[in-house]
Structures are given as structure tokens and as C-alpha cells.
Amino acid sequence: MPTVSHTMPFDATLSAYLGTLSHLITAGMLVSTLDGEIVLVNSAACTLLGLPADASAATCAAWFSHYMRDRQGRPFPPGALPQQQVAHGTPLQELDLCYQAPDAPERRFRLNGQQLCDGVGQPQAILLLLHAVSPELVTTTHQYADLQNRFDTLTLRLARQAAQFQTVISSLPDGVTVVDTAGNILHMNEVGQRILGQPLASDLTESVQRYDVRTLAGDPMSPADLPLARALRGEQVFGMEHLIRGKSGEDTRITVSANPVRSQEGEIIGAVAIFRDVTRRRQQEQEREQRLLELEGLREIAQATALARKETTIYEALVVRLAHLLQTETCVLLMRDGDNENFHARAPAYGIVPDQLARFTLRADQWTSIREHVELDCPQVIDTRDGFAGSVGLQLLQTFGVDNMILSRLTVRERVIGLIVACNKREEGYFDERDIRLLQTVTPQAALAIENSRLYMHARQISTEARAQARHLSRINDELDAFTYSVSHDLRAPLRAITGFTHLLERSLPELSERSRHHLTRIQVNVDKMGNLIDALLAFSRAGRQNPERAPVNTRAVVQEALRLYAQNLVECGAHVYVAELPFVQGDSRLLEQVFSNLISNAIKYRRPDTPLQLQITGTQDDGMVTLQMRDNGIGFDMRYHDKIFQVFQRLNAGETTEGTGIGLALVRKIIERHDGRIWAEGTPGVGSTFFIELPVADERKEYQRDQ
Ligand code: ADP
């Protein structure tokens, strides 16, 4: 066990190596400081000096200085003790000494002395090795040489490792400090001194307690809780964070890890701490966190306002989240009343009870006086502490009963529709650039959301009105259909009676004059006309009441069927008819046959008397719809009436002689529309007409089934 005077004034590595060396060396070993103070002796040295093996370094040092003589037995002059000679640069090689301890025979020693230097050649300690040369102590020349070698090797390794240690420590990006068991600083690298902001005293004997160490909350830390103190108690401290308060009160935030330093025997001989300045990093992290919170808030606002349909929902989403993001006690939207310049607070507001809302009213004259401030594109801060407030701002603060506020105008197409107002920044804070930027981001979005909501509500109102009107029209239509049906139906009976009585009259009066017979014939013709009209009207009203069947219809077959009905007439007028391959449509074949019958009948009726009729029926399919075309070379019509001809009782150029009711095309249109289709016509007087019919294409699946 080496005997140490007190904690060695060397760094931890050197101390550890000297401890190891003292065990390895069989010779007496003494280590002194550069001042000549002996601080370590091994047990062999104690025995050589005639002391108990565990005598203290101080006793050994005292005996060594008092009783050691030169080879002639003369005491060393003051300041010239062997270790002092070595410290002054004189290495001692095999110096013969004479030692005269009290009550003991004289002993002869041979001494080697050498400086121990660090990596940069700087002496750190003096090492003395003492060998007995008196006959009774056995030290052969061989043993001595061996010791000498080990000594040199160890010394060299020691010096090299000490140098490496120094280099490594000083090139570390972190602060490193080593303390002894009493908490005195043995070593601190430059980075460490820079972080702590106070250079160490050169004697390196300061305690770590000289630093003002605080918890993250800023409270002083008890010395026992310091990481190094805990390490000295054997704990391993990892990543502990605290503040170091500098002389001028500024805080440096550091993270510290500390470990105990143990001797080979496991005894704690000091502690080492590694620490890093994380002030900037933590600041950045906090800023990043803040920014993330801000972004999250903005995202929430965007989402809430984009989804909201009601204006009040938008107000709520805005004021709650803005108060949170801006850290204000209140937040409210003042919306402009129509076209005048009064602004009223709207519920819901944040931090203002409904009864108090009236206080947040900006009259037209107040608005006029602050407008120039608020009509900037930038949100405006009004704060009594800024001195900005001026009379206008002060008035506003007084009106609202607040200390400070930030205003931002809501603009739609360059018209101010309202203001976002957030008041009283929490915790005595000031509105800053961040708040302004935040409002700048939110305001256009908010204005747009409010405008959209207004448009949406307006559109909804219009569509509700339109729906009501459609319902009304449909009811009237139904009533009209019902009326037509019952009237037509009821008219049939008197018509039948007229026909019956006409026949009776004809039979009961055989001697009727030609003239009277002609009148009776006229009555019958008109009754027939009336009958046709009633039939047409009944068909028309029936078409409005029935739901057409929906099935794939072979259009070409339907057209052929309709042509067959008029085969006779067509032959008579020398018609030339062409029917192309036609796509199948989805609908009611019976009703569609009615459509084509009407159109073919019209083509025959309205043909040019001097020209043989030409009729062409073709069809195309596109985008789920089929378009059928029926073209004739008849008398045509003036395009001004292209729509009129589809209205009930509308007849154009049809002369008195042309039979017709003026219901045919109206019926055709009704049937087509009941099929979700469209019909329209193009005509040129004297050239011909073309009727276009658009109908849904046949459902292929059904067609497939039909083909099976
Ligand atoms: P009408 O019983 O008079 O034929 P419609 O409703 O069928 O009644 O036709 C309305 C009017 O449209 C006709 O009176 C006629 O003037 C015009 N019209 C219909 N079809 C043709 C056609 N193919 N060529 C020219 N005019 C036509």
C-alpha cells in the first residue's frame, strides 16, 4: 500500500500511474512535487528508512530530509536535497548516500532521481528510487539492472500516456473536469473552462462549488446534488441538465455526465465529469416546438374553417385557436354591418361573455379614425407600453377596456368585411413578430372562409326556393293533367250524343235538302275532329301520368313498326324511306312507337305537294346517349319557332286543310322527357326539317340477357 501525504496534486491519470508504479517497484520509491515536498512513498522506502511499512509520507519525508547524508556523511545544504536537485534539472545517477537514523546502525544507499514529464515535456513530479547497498540487504547488480529497466519503461509509458491523455482531453468538443475526493478540481480542459465562463486558477485547487449551479427552474442546487458530488458517492450520473449562472447573471444550460474514478483496488480516488453547452440547442428545440405548435394550430384553423358551413362555426374555430396561439385573454371578430362602417362583435367570442360583447363595438367614426392604421396589409399592434397607442389607440383600448391588442382586417375583394381582434397578451408579454406573422397567415384564409360560408348560405337559400318552386310547378302540372284528363273524358259523352242525334236526324228526315245534308256532314266532320282532339288530349295527359317502362328497345324495329302503320300513305305519296342501323335505347317501346308514328305522320302531312317525300332515319351513339335523327324534305319551318312547335296547340304553317290538333309534338316531347331524353328540331322553309331525339343507350346487361 503506497503511503500518500495527502491527495496528490497531480491529475487523475498521473496519480493513478504513480500508485501502480509504487506497487511494481521493489526498490524504495519516493515521489515529490517540483517544490521538493514528498507526497508519496512506498512500503519498501519506509522499511529502508527504518520506519514501519505503513508510515505516513510526511514522516518518511521528515526522516529522509533529516537523516540522509552525502557519501561522506555530511548533511545536504538547505535547498539541495536530492529531490530539489532533480527539480532544478540535475538528474541523479547512482548517487551514493549515507543514512543515519536514530538508534540504528548507519546504512548505505544508492539513489536514482528523475523528473516525470507530461506529453509536452513539462515536468510534473520528481521520482526517487532508493536501493540499499549495505551487505546485509541483498540487492544484486542483476536485480538492480532489472529494476532500472522496468523503471525506465514504466516512466516512458507513463509519460506517453499522460501526453495522450492531455491531447485527448483537450481535443474533446466537450468540457471535461476531474476532481479529487474533496471536490477540488484537478483538471479541466479549455472547452470546459470556456463553457463555465471562468478560467481556473493556476494552482487548480478550486472547488467545484465556486460555480453558481442552478436547477432548470433557476433555483440554486444543493452541493450534495451536483453531478460530481454524486459521482464521488459512487453514483453514475448520465445526461443531467442544469444551469450555470455567470457573473453577470446570464444562464448557460449544460448537460453533464459524471463517473467516479477508482484506484485498482476499487477505492474512489476522484470523479470525472463531461459536460456540454446545450443552451443554443435547447433554444432551437424550443423554437422548433413552438413552430410545430403554431403549424398545428394553423392546420387546425385551416381544416376547421374549410369544413365549416356556418359563419358562427368559423368564428368559434378562429377565436378559440387564435387566443391559444397568440396567448391572449380574449379574441373576437368584429364584423361590419352591411354597407355602413359600424363593426359589431359576433358570438361566439373567446374570453368575453355574451353580455359584454356590446362593449366591443367600433362605431363608424372610430373606424374612420383608426382605418389608416388598420388598412395596412400588416396586423396592427396597439399597446400602452409601446407609447405607440397615441390618442386613437388609447381611445380604442379604453373602449374595449384592455391594455393591449392586435388587430387584423378581414378583406374580401379589397373590401374590409371585419376585424380580428385579440386583446391582453397573457403573462405581461408583448405581441411580437411571430404574432404578426401568424395573424398575417390566418387572416386571408379566415376572410375567404367567411365569404365562402356566406355564398354557401346564399346558394342554399336560392336552391331551397328553387326546390319549393319546382314542387309548386309539378303540383300545378299534375293538377293540369288531371284536369285535362277529366275534361277530355267528360267531353266524350256529349260528343257521342251529338253523333247519335245527327244520325237519327239524318234517318228521320229522308227528304233533307242538299244544303241541310251538307250541314249535317259538317257537324259530323267537326265532331270527328273534336273526337281526335280529345283522344290526343287524353294521350297527352296519360303520357304525363305514366311512368315509362325501362327496357332495352330495338329502335329500328320500333321505327319499322311505325312506318308500317303509314305504309299506305307513304306509297300514295311516292315516298322514299331510308332507315339506317339504329342503336338500342333504354325505354318503353310502346311509347317510343307513338313518338315515331307522330313524327312520320307529320312528315307525310307537311311534305311538299310537288316533291316526292324523302325520309331518312339515322342514329349515333356517344357517351351513354343515343342521338336519332329524322330528316324529311318537306315544307320545313322558320327556326324562330323551333321551340314553339313543341307546345300544346301550336301549329305553324299548317293550313286549314291540314288535319291536326297541335298536340302531336307536345306529346312527343313529353314522352321523350319522361325517358330522361331531349328532343329538338331544325328546319328550313321550303327545304325540310330534321328532328333530333336523344335517349339513354340501352343497358348492356339487359341487352345481353335479351340476346341469350
Ligand atoms: P299538328 O297536329 O299540327 O301536326 P304537331 O304538334 O304535330 O301538331 O305539330 C305542330 C306544328 O309543327 C305543326 O302544325 C307544323 O306547323 C309543325 N310541324 C310539325 N312537323 C313538321 C314537319 N315535319 N315539317 C314541317 N313542319 C312541321
Side-chain angles (χ1 to χ4, degrees):
M1 186 75 175
T3 305
V4 181
S5 70
H6 55 75
T7 311
M8 283 189 284
F10 312 124
D11 67 37
T13 317
L14 185 58
S15 304
Y17 271 89
L18 287 173
T20 314
L21 200 63
S22 65
H23 285 286
L24 289 173
I25 284 186
T26 47
M29 172 179 149
L30 301 95
V31 178
S32 88
T33 64
L34 296 180
D35 297 338
E37 183 193 356
I38 291 173
V39 291
L40 177 122
V41 290
N42 68 355
S43 47
C46 296
T47 315
L48 285 177
L49 295 176
L51 288 162
D54 58 353
S56 74
T59 313
C60 286
W63 281 51
F64 184 84
S65 347
H66 277 95
Y67 306 126
M68 199 58 86
R69 307 273 186 269
D70 67 9
R71 59 193 301 170
Q72 275 91 35
R74 291 172 303 198
F76 288 102
L81 281 167
Q83 68 269 35
Q84 289 165 329
Q85 291 179 41
V86 178
H88 292 135
T90 321
L92 298 178
Q93 290 266 326
E94 315 252 325
L95 179 70
D96 283 324
L97 297 172
C98 168
Y99 181 75
Q100 184 63 70
D103 305 330
E106 184 189 82
R107 296 178 189 192
R108 291 268 160 190
F109 295 127
R110 194 160 287 162
L111 183 131
N112 282 284
Q114 190 172 336
Q115 289 180 347
L116 288 181
C117 299
D118 62 14
V120 287
Q122 205 53 37
Q124 296 291 317
I126 308 299
L127 180 68
L128 303 178
L129 291 183
L130 201 61
H131 311 280
V133 289
S134 48
E136 61 268 29
L137 291 173
V138 186
T139 306
T140 64
T141 320
H142 174 72
Q143 273 176 320
Y144 176 73
D146 179 41
L147 279 175
Q148 187 66 46
N149 277 343
R150 283 158 82 175
F151 167 73
D152 286 347
T153 316
L154 277 170
T155 309
L156 274 175
R157 198 191 303 159
L158 181 64
R160 209 164 34 240
Q161 288 191 346
Q164 278 170 354
F165 174 76
Q166 287 282 347
T167 318
V168 169
I169 296 280
S170 52
S171 59
L172 276 179
D174 293 329
V176 177
T177 187
V178 182
V179 295
D180 64 15
T181 46
N184 294 317
I185 297 173
L186 299 178
H187 181 82
M188 187 180 302
N189 68 356
E190 269 179 39
V191 177
Q193 296 184 36
R194 223 176 21 245
I195 291 174
L196 298 181
Q198 296 177 44
L200 287 179
S202 53
D203 61 3
L204 287 181
T205 53
E206 303 169 338
S207 159
V208 281
Q209 290 184 21
R210 76 190 272 243
Y211 296 101
D212 184 358
V213 186
R214 304 207 165 221
T215 64
L216 290 182
D219 305 322
M221 264 176 86
S222 90
D225 288 340
L226 294 179
L228 277 169
R230 286 170 56 186
L232 285 173
R233 293 199 299 272
E235 280 180 56
Q236 289 193 332
V237 180
F238 182 75
M240 185 175 169
E241 284 198 18
H242 53 66
L243 304 175
I244 301 284
R245 187 153 292 179
K247 287 216 167 65
S248 44
E250 79 291 345
D251 284 333
T252 304
R253 183 164 169 152
I254 61 169
T255 169
V256 192
S257 295
N259 262 358
V261 175
R262 295 177 188 274
S263 67
Q264 278 191 333
E265 289 75 27
E267 187 190 351
I268 294 176
I269 55 169
V272 59
I274 298 187
F275 50 99
R276 178 175 288 193
D277 181 353
V278 289
T279 319
R280 182 86 195 100
R281 202 174 74 197
R282 289 285 177 267
Q283 240 167 27
Q284 283 171 341
E285 278 171 7
Q286 271 170 3
E287 276 166 21
R288 205 176 316 132
E289 249 166 56
Q290 185 69 35
R291 189 84 193 116
L292 275 178
L293 274 178
E294 224 174 273
L295 285 176
E296 179 57 18
L298 290 177
R299 191 194 61 77
E300 278 180 16
I301 289 180
Q303 196 177 19
T305 51
L307 295 180
R309 290 279 169 252
K310 279 165 65 184
E311 232 173 296
T312 47
T313 317
I314 298 175
Y315 296 159
E316 183 166 9
L318 279 173
V319 293
V320 172
R321 288 176 176 85
L322 277 177
H324 179 69
L325 287 172
L326 297 168
Q327 295 179 314
T328 53
E329 287 172 7
T330 58
C331 185
V332 60
L333 271 91
L334 307 188
M335 301 307 291
R336 192 175 191 157
D337 294 341
D339 276 337
N340 68 39
E341 302 214 319
N342 294 321
F343 291 77
H344 286 291
R346 296 291 160 91
Y350 182 86
I352 308 169
V353 290
D355 295 351
Q356 293 285 305
L357 274 185
R359 183 157 56 93
F360 287 80
T361 294
L362 206 62
R363 293 187 319 272
D365 58 313
Q366 287 173 310
W367 168 242
T368 315
S369 57
I370 66 160
R371 185 160 58 193
E372 63 179 290
H373 296 295
V374 186
E375 280 208 312
L376 300 168
D377 263 336
C378 186
Q380 185 63 56
V381 175
I382 302 179
D383 195 321
T384 35
R385 294 165 298 187
D386 267 353
F388 156 74
S391 60
V392 174
L394 270 178
Q395 262 175 31
L396 207 59
L397 295 178
Q398 275 162 10
T399 312
F400 293 173
V402 294
D403 293 332
N404 51 61
M405 64 164 79
I406 187 165
L407 306 177
S408 185
R409 60 180 189 155
L410 293 159
T411 314
V412 173
R413 288 183 292 278
E414 295 184 2
R415 182 172 179 276
V416 180
I417 59 160
L419 300 167
I420 298 180
V421 182
C423 307
N424 282 353
K425 185 98 175 154
R426 267 188 236 118
E427 290 166 16
E428 301 289 305
Y430 274 87
F431 288 108
D432 57 17
E433 276 303 310
R434 191 189 69 92
D435 299 319
I436 291 177
R437 206 182 53 229
L438 206 125
L439 260 190
Q440 234 164 358
T441 314
V442 171
T443 310
Q445 190 179 317
L448 204 68
I450 292 171
E451 176 70 357
N452 276 348
S453 142
R454 288 177 174 179
L455 287 176
Y456 170 79
M457 286 311 202
H458 186 59
R460 207 166 79 158
Q461 194 186 344
I462 288 178
S463 99
T464 312
E465 283 168 13
R467 268 207 302 275
Q469 210 153 13
R471 270 200 304 276
H472 180 63
L473 282 177
S474 150
R475 207 168 43 244
I476 289 178
N477 246 351
D478 290 349
E479 283 168 5
L480 206 63
D481 278 343
F483 173 76
T484 315
Y485 183 80
S486 63
V487 166
S488 331
H489 201 264
D490 293 349
L491 280 178
R492 275 184 172 286
L495 268 193
R496 264 196 306 273
I498 295 172
T499 308
F501 285 119
T502 315
H503 285 150
L504 264 182
L505 212 59
E506 222 174 358
R507 257 181 274 137
S508 58
L509 296 171
E511 315 259 293
L512 267 181
S513 68
E514 256 322 290
R515 189 175 166 74
S516 302
R517 200 166 291 282
H518 172 73
H519 283 150
L520 279 182
T521 312
R522 292 285 299 164
I523 291 174
Q524 190 54 50
V525 165
N526 279 301
V527 166
D528 288 348
K529 253 192 187 175
M530 184 80 167
N532 287 342
L533 194 65
I534 290 171
D535 282 347
L537 272 175
L538 274 176
F540 180 72
S541 75
R542 220 176 280 127
R545 291 138 71 96
Q546 279 172 353
N547 271 334
E549 194 190 316
R550 295 297 172 100
V553 173
N554 183 341
T555 322
R556 193 162 193 266
V558 166
V559 171
Q560 301 282 20
E561 192 54 42
L563 284 168
R564 222 183 327 269
L565 291 177
Y566 293 93
Q568 179 72 29
N569 312 54
L570 290 166
V571 170
E572 278 168 18
C573 62
H576 179 263
V577 182
Y578 168 75
V579 184
E581 279 300 318
L582 301 175
F584 279 54
V585 296
Q586 186 77 1
D588 187 320
S589 58
R590 204 173 35 80
L591 293 175
L592 292 177
E593 194 182 310
Q594 226 175 322
V595 166
F596 284 104
S597 304
N598 267 294
L599 295 180
I600 293 165
S601 134
N602 279 353
I604 296 170
K605 269 196 292 184
Y606 303 111
R607 70 181 186 277
R608 272 182 281 158
D610 51 342
T611 316
L613 171 64
Q614 291 205 2
L615 201 56
Q616 251 185 33
I617 304 165
T618 55
T620 52
Q621 180 183 332
D622 185 24
D623 220 10
M625 296 303 274
V626 169
T627 307
L628 303 165
Q629 286 185 30
M630 201 176 110
R631 180 191 297 271
D632 64 42
N633 62 340
I635 59 171
F637 60 88
D638 188 331
M639 273 305 274
R640 274 180 297 171
Y641 309 116
H642 74 102
D643 197 44
K644 196 174 165 188
I645 56 174
F646 290 100
Q647 291 168 13
V648 187
F649 301 135
Q650 295 299 328
R651 310 191 70 206
L652 298 183
N653 38 17
E656 273 293 297
T657 48
T658 320
E659 278 186 22
T661 55
I663 293 176
L665 285 184
L667 173 66
V668 164
R669 177 152 81 174
K670 191 167 249 182
I671 293 175
I672 297 298
E673 283 176 353
R674 301 287 296 195
H675 277 78
D676 298 326
R678 255 177 355 121
I679 180 163
W680 68 101
E682 288 171 4
T684 314
V687 176
S689 321
T690 308
F691 286 82
F692 298 85
I693 300 175
E694 198 180 72
L695 283 168
V697 72
D699 186 333
E700 278 170 21
R701 282 163 301 164
K702 290 197 181 148
E703 196 178 335
Y704 174 75
Q705 282 164 10
R706 190 180 48 82
D707 286 350
Q708 288 298 88

